[in-house]
Structure formats: structure tokens, C-alpha cells
Amino acid sequence: MKIKSAEFVISNSSVAKCPTTKIPEYAFIGRSNVGKSSLINALVGRKSLAKTSGRPGKTQLINHFIINKEWFLVDLPGYGYARVSKSNKKTFQKFITNYFNEREQLVSAFVLVDSRHEPQKIDLEFMEWLATNGIPFTIIFTKSDKLNKTSLPKNIEDYKNKMLEMWEEMPPYLVTSSASKTGCKEVLDYIGKLNEDVEPQPFLK
Ligand code: GTP
Ligand code: MG
């Protein structure tokens, strides 16, 4: 899929205030610092459309970007950020779970995991929660540029084996790097295919 345009639409802290436009939507979720915002920028070929930072906890709101005037990419805050207080964590969890439970336009979530790390409990539990709530998702391994040719396939194989302890089969997955642009074309083509399968939804009056 070719990117013809990518524009920021709105940031907010409540799913109720998200755009009401009935177009397909894809949301990036995962641990803080995993590379969600960077991947959005790499996909659309823009340096700072989504705000990124070396420090975890940069993205704090639900951010909608409209791509090719046809579909939304959504940058979400990360979970698992240790320095957030308990009450903040709860509020945050609520707004993220509300987003996933209520956002009818969502075609698929993309759960980003760092390809360098072994499967993390928080990610495995989040994927389990998505499945229990009937929310389709695809795994995106990030930062693949940081691994060599032997470690990358080994880590992915280990991840698969861990997933297969819980899942009948490995959910769909893609391997990416925002730094080297590895996998960006694949992610866009994957979204392009999903877009083709989305039934046009009637507009509310
Ligand atoms: P939060 O908004 O805090 O949840 O983080 P995020 O998941 O949006 O991460 P972000 O895109 O801000 O990136 C975090 C850090 O990882 C930044 O320093 C990025 O430069 C770096 N980073 C992201 N993707 C890659 C990648 O593919 N390769 C390398 N080498 N670094 C990356
Ligand atoms: Mg971010």
C-alpha cells in the first residue's frame, strides 16, 4: 500500500470523544518504550508525526492519525511503566480497556513486543484479555535491527513456543524495525488487505 497522506486528527483521554467517522481503524498497543509511536512514523515515512522519546511514558493519550483519508492509525499509551502510581495505573487501564471494548471501528489491534526480550507476563496477559473479549490482534515484533541474524529468528521461535503453551496456534505476527524500516511494507500491505475485507458500515444519522 502506498502512503499518499498522513495527518494528525485528535488526541483525547476518552473513547467517547474519539472520531465518529466510520472508517477502519488499527491501534498500536504494548509496553512503554516498545516503539509504537516510532513504528507509526516509520510506516508513514514521517519523522515526528507521532511523538517519540527515549524515556518510557511519552504517549499519554489516544491519538488518531488519518491515513490516505481512508483509515485511522491509533497511537496509544504504553502499559507496564513502572514509575506510574497505582491509582494512575487503574485510570489508565480503564481507559485502554474502554477503548478496546467500545471502539466499533477497530479492525485489529497490533500488540507490539520487543524482539530482544523473552515473552513478558504483561504482554501475554494482555493478549489473553484481547482474545477473551473477542478483539482480533496481530503481534508486531519491534527493534529487529538490534538483533543479529542468529538471535532474531531464535527469539521469534522461542516466543512462538511460549505462545503455543497457551494458544492452539501462533497468532499472526510481523517482524519490524523502525530504524531500518524492515517489515514496514509488510505491515502496510497487511493493513491494506484487512481494509479490503471491511464491510462498509452505514453512517449514523
Ligand atoms: P510510549 O509512548 O512511552 O509508550 O513508548 P513507545 O512505545 O511509543 O516508544 P517510542 O516509539 O517512543 O520509542 C521508544 C524508544 O525506542 C525511542 O528511543 C526510539 O528511538 C527507540 N526505537 C523505537 N523503535 C526502534 C527501532 O526499530 N530500532 C531501534 N534501534 N530503536 C527504536
Ligand atoms: Mg508512544
Side-chain angles (χ1 to χ4, degrees), residues 68-126:
N68 293 350
K69 303 194 192 299
E70 283 171 352
W71 51 279
F72 286 126
L73 268 180
V74 180
D75 192 16
L76 294 171
Y79 47 68
Y81 177 34
R83 275 164 55 200
V84 170
S85 72
K86 256 195 185 161
S87 68
N88 264 353
K89 239 180 218 166
K90 265 205 166 157
T91 315
F92 168 73
Q93 267 175 10
K94 191 86 203 130
F95 102 65
I96 293 298
T97 51
N98 283 348
Y99 168 83
F100 282 107
N101 275 327
E102 292 172 25
R103 194 69 181 155
E104 286 174 12
Q105 292 91 330
L106 185 77
V107 178
S108 179
F110 287 100
V111 180
L112 275 64
V113 297
D114 193 320
S115 57
R116 294 170 298 174
H117 302 152
E118 56 185 45
Q120 308 278 307
K121 193 166 173 256
I122 195 165
D123 294 320
L124 299 175
E125 285 177 357
F126 186 72

Side-chain angles (χ1 to χ4, degrees), residues 36-38 51-52 58-59 75-78:
K36 301 175 290 297
S37 306
S38 301
K51 302 267 185 315
T52 66
K58 179 69 180 172
T59 310
D75 192 16
L76 294 171

Side-chain angles (χ1 to χ4, degrees), residues 30-39 51-60 75-79 112 142-146 176-180:
R31 286 160 65 86
S32 276
N33 216 40
V34 70
K36 301 175 290 297
S37 306
S38 301
L39 187 59
K51 302 267 185 315
T52 66
S53 168
R55 284 222 233 124
K58 179 69 180 172
T59 310
Q60 297 274 343
D75 192 16
L76 294 171
Y79 47 68
L112 275 64
T142 64
K143 307 193 185 183
S144 66
D145 60 286
K146 296 217 180 197
T176 68
S177 159
S178 304
S180 70

